[in-house]
Amino acid sequence: MAIDYQSLVLPYASAAECRATDVAHRPVIVVGGGPVGLTLAIDLARQGTPVLLLDDDDRLSSGSRAICFAKRTLEIWDRLGCGDPIASKGVSWKTGKVFFRDRLVYAFDLLPETGHRRPAFVNLQQYYAEGLLYEHALAQPKLEMRWKNKVIAAEQASGGVVVTVETPDGTYRLRCDYLVACDGSRSPMRSLLGLESKGQVFRDRFLIADVRMDADLPVERRFWFDPPFHRDGSALMHRQPDNVWRIDFQLGWEADPAVERQPERVLQRVRAMLGDKVAFDLVWCSVYTFACMRMERFRHGRILFAGDAAHGVSPFGARGANSGVQDADNLGWKLHYVIRGDAPDRLLDAYACEREKAADENIAHSTRSADFLTPKSETSRVFRDAVLSLAQEHPFARRLVNSGRLSTATTLADSPLNTPDEARFEGAMVPGAAAADAPVTIDDRPDWFLRHVGGRFVAMHFAQRPDAAGAFVAAFRPEPGVRSDAQSIGVDPLLIADPSFDTQRVAGAPVAIDTDGLVARRYDAAPGTTYLFRPDQHVCARWRRFDAHALRAALARATCRV
């Protein structure tokens, strides 16, 4: 039987119970049970770090909220073992159409190439995403969740954080090594510490309306500038599961949110869009004003911030939840390595450095989208409308149209954890890039490359001959009485070979047959090419030939041990 996530009441842990059973110390406390907090907590628990998640509510999100989950987010959830149910429940899509007034300007394809396990996007109501993550979290032995447990104080002292938690029946205290605030755009944790986000609030308002209807429309993103049914504004339509459609209307700064949320007013706007012959029901609506904001620093001692608590962008482009899940993906392995003693505390500074720059990239994209959607002067409007008029016939104009640059994985090109290239490579898989997927065959069974990268450091070697492959694998075998960096940190070897390779003659590492040659093509690989991947599946080093000394140096750099 399907779970009604909108009605689900999450189990409450009383202060009395917590005081009676609590341990004195926790390695990590995560504050906030949304998609970002749940992703981080699951990641830490799966790696073996005990984690406690606290949330001041006992319900999942109300309304659809974030709905567009990008390919990179699905790949992160695949790594955590929960990608399949989320992708299966969601509505997959990759194409979009842009309209100006009453005509189609152009269409685009976000994933034109084949050979990827996941689509460009799936649309899924946020409460479904949270519910499926919550179910997966329940299966993690090292993860405890406490609902209606609100953090009301957090004091850093003596190499840790002392946390005071308020519940409906009293308070109690905890101690942890690190605390991560994933508690949303209004972030009570940020307020507790006297911190703030700064940026730009855009003088515009938007209406979100979820409507349920049976509509014979293609699964695609549709965006209108100045359509006949909503003159002088913009509109956006997406399909979600359960025959629910998300419709956004640009209202203008002078719109009264209380008036615009009235059901009869919402229904009037939707009916103007869909026509009188389409039957629909209003499921949920909200009016919002968006802002591009971020904290100056995402790390404050032993308290770190992630997701909307650290940064916020407009919903156009689906960069909010997706960038937050990337924050969790980035931070989880670093916290685990620091707590386990395999990396120094300064590795967490690299989290702040990498994700602050990623936030700046997302904010820049979002700001440009807002400027195009809401021209600031009559001259700007004339320019925008001219661009839209030209875009139907002229490709150069299409590149200027901005209805929300859609979320893609951030390349951490300037990361201090990267080892710069010494040889020439082509393509997108530069140090700092998130690994690209491709079909492979392992043990005569069809598989996907990304299923074998992530969770630990992985050294990938393109092998042509079994003897060369054997030399690569031998570098990872433990020597009697000697514990190498690769063995201590955990580096897994992975061989990539073409279909003619004799897999029977190699032992000690999985051999992935590059079924269609896409791995070699996407990684610009030749025999001997070697890549080192971080536990979050980002490239951190690559070489044209395998060098054990160079790999050890790159590993030390990627874990801040140099």
Side-chain angles (χ1 to χ4, degrees):
M1 180 182 295
I3 298 174
D4 180 2
Y5 289 119
Q6 288 280 263
S7 302
L8 186 65
V9 179
L10 304 174
Y12 163 58
S14 71
E17 292 172 326
C18 295
R19 284 193 295 265
T21 62
D22 239 338
V23 296
H25 171 267
R26 303 277 179 162
V28 180
I29 291 176
V30 173
V31 181
V36 178
L38 285 165
T39 297
L40 177 61
I42 290 168
D43 197 0
L44 285 164
R46 282 173 60 88
Q47 293 182 80
T49 294
V51 57
L52 172 65
L53 184 146
L54 303 173
D55 193 284
D56 61 3
D57 199 2
D58 62 356
R59 297 292 185 109
L60 302 176
S61 293
S62 61
S64 60
R65 299 186 183 273
I67 67 164
C68 295
F69 295 104
K71 178 175 178 290
R72 180 61 197 144
T73 298
L74 298 174
E75 290 167 349
I76 292 167
W77 287 337
D78 277 337
R79 181 176 64 77
L80 301 182
C82 52
D84 280 342
I86 292 174
S88 297
K89 180 62 180 176
V91 174
S92 299
W93 66 277
K94 66 170 186 168
T95 59
K97 291 179 180 175
V98 176
F99 299 83
F100 181 41
R101 296 178 180 145
D102 59 352
R103 62 189 175 89
L104 174 66
V105 175
Y106 70 96
F108 57 87
D109 188 334
L110 292 168
L111 192 62
E113 62 181 16
T114 59
H116 293 272
R117 182 184 184 190
R118 294 305 181 195
F121 280 89
V122 298
N123 287 351
L124 183 68
Q125 294 91 326
Q126 184 172 323
Y127 54 81
Y128 276 128
E130 288 181 4
L132 292 167
L133 286 167
Y134 169 71
E135 288 186 54
H136 194 57
L138 289 173
Q140 310 306 317
K142 292 187 177 294
L143 169 54
E144 181 184 355
M145 294 176 284
R146 296 179 181 173
W147 307 96
K148 293 195 78 67
N149 276 237
K150 179 180 180 180
V151 175
I152 59 172
E155 180 182 355
Q156 301 191 64
S158 303
V161 185
V162 178
V163 178
T164 304
V165 183
E166 180 183 69
T167 75
D169 70 315
T171 64
Y172 64 97
R173 303 183 83 193
L174 290 167
R175 184 180 180 86
C176 62
D177 291 328
Y178 294 95
L179 183 148
V180 186
C182 306
D183 53 345
S185 59
R186 293 185 175 87
S187 186
M189 283 301 309
R190 201 172 57 220
S191 299
L192 281 177
L193 297 179
L195 302 171
E196 59 182 348
S197 281
K198 296 180 180 179
Q200 180 180 2
V201 176
F202 292 88
R203 293 173 62 84
D204 208 341
R205 302 188 197 279
F206 294 83
L207 167 71
I208 296 175
D210 280 356
V211 299
R212 181 174 284 110
M213 63 178 178
D214 291 320
D216 186 20
L217 294 171
V219 180
E220 60 191 14
R221 181 185 196 258
R222 293 186 165 200
F223 195 99
W224 290 265
F225 290 96
D226 193 17
F229 57 82
H230 188 61
R231 297 308 304 266
D232 299 320
S234 62
L236 173 66
M237 176 184 275
H238 272 286
R239 183 172 182 171
Q240 305 173 70
D242 306 334
N243 289 327
V244 174
W245 296 74
R246 158 74 63 83
I247 304 174
D248 292 51
F249 294 101
Q250 183 181 21
L251 301 176
W253 183 244
E254 302 304 322
D256 184 333
V259 171
E260 296 296 344
R261 277 195 298 266
Q262 293 175 1
E264 60 272 18
R265 180 76 166 172
V266 178
L267 293 172
Q268 180 183 8
R269 291 192 183 278
V270 175
R271 194 170 290 111
M273 179 187 203
L274 300 177
D276 293 331
K277 296 182 180 180
V278 177
F280 62 88
D281 296 313
L282 181 63
V283 177
W284 174 76
C285 69
S286 179
V287 174
Y288 65 91
T289 298
F290 70 80
C292 288
M293 314 279 283
R294 85 163 173 88
M295 298 177 68
E296 182 179 357
R297 293 180 291 120
F298 294 179
R299 183 183 185 189
H300 293 265
R302 289 177 173 265
I303 299 177
L304 302 103
F305 289 80
D308 286 352
H311 49 79
V313 293
S314 78
F316 292 103
R319 293 177 176 273
N322 287 299
S323 63
V325 171
Q326 288 184 48
D327 290 347
D329 181 48
N330 188 293
L331 180 56
W333 72 271
K334 292 171 181 169
L335 273 172
H336 175 66
Y337 276 54
V338 170
I339 289 168
R340 197 174 66 174
D342 287 329
D345 175 86
R346 67 177 179 274
L347 180 61
L348 301 178
D349 293 334
Y351 160 74
C353 172
E354 290 176 347
R355 295 312 298 170
E356 285 163 8
K357 289 182 178 178
D360 287 340
E361 176 184 304
N362 284 313
I363 286 171
H365 280 296
S366 192
T367 299
R368 286 192 286 269
S369 298
D371 289 342
F372 197 85
L373 286 169
T374 311
K376 303 300 184 291
S377 66
E378 186 58 33
T379 301
S380 297
R381 178 175 290 276
V382 169
F383 170 78
R384 187 200 71 176
D385 290 354
V387 166
L388 290 165
S389 295
L390 291 168
Q392 187 173 21
E393 301 294 336
H394 301 283
F396 83 89
R398 293 173 200 163
R399 292 192 291 271
L400 300 175
V401 176
N402 193 335
S403 63
R405 301 285 190 229
L406 287 155
S407 176
T408 56
T410 298
T411 297
L412 310 171
D414 299 323
S415 170
L417 307 187
N418 294 342
T419 295
D421 286 338
E422 295 180 353
R424 182 177 177 180
F425 284 85
E426 301 292 337
M429 290 296 99
V430 299
D437 206 0
V440 295
T441 299
I442 295 183
D443 296 330
D444 297 322
R445 292 192 299 270
D447 209 333
W448 291 97
F449 169 70
L450 280 185
R451 285 199 345 105
H452 302 275
V453 176
R456 289 159 59 91
F457 281 89
V458 172
M460 174 181 73
H461 182 69
F462 287 81
Q464 186 175 41
R465 304 185 320 274
D467 58 338
F472 168 76
V473 173
F476 296 88
R477 292 195 185 110
E479 298 179 28
V482 178
R483 187 166 175 80
S484 71
D485 287 344
Q487 293 149 19
S488 174
I489 296 296
V491 180
D492 293 336
L494 173 65
L495 292 168
I496 307 293
D498 65 35
S500 65
F501 190 87
D502 184 1
T503 60
Q504 302 301 315
R505 294 179 57 191
V506 177
V511 180
I513 300 302
D514 191 6
T515 313
D516 301 320
L518 287 178
V519 181
R521 193 179 313 160
R522 287 173 181 164
Y523 290 86
D524 186 28
T529 297
T530 303
Y531 276 73
L532 181 64
F533 296 96
R534 302 177 352 175
D536 59 3
Q537 299 176 326
H538 281 256
V539 176
C540 61
R542 58 183 178 173
W543 307 269
R544 282 301 182 190
R545 64 181 182 86
F546 173 64
D547 182 323
H549 176 75
L551 186 141
R552 286 194 295 270
L555 182 62
R557 181 168 183 155
T559 51
C560 286
R561 290 178 298 116
V562 290

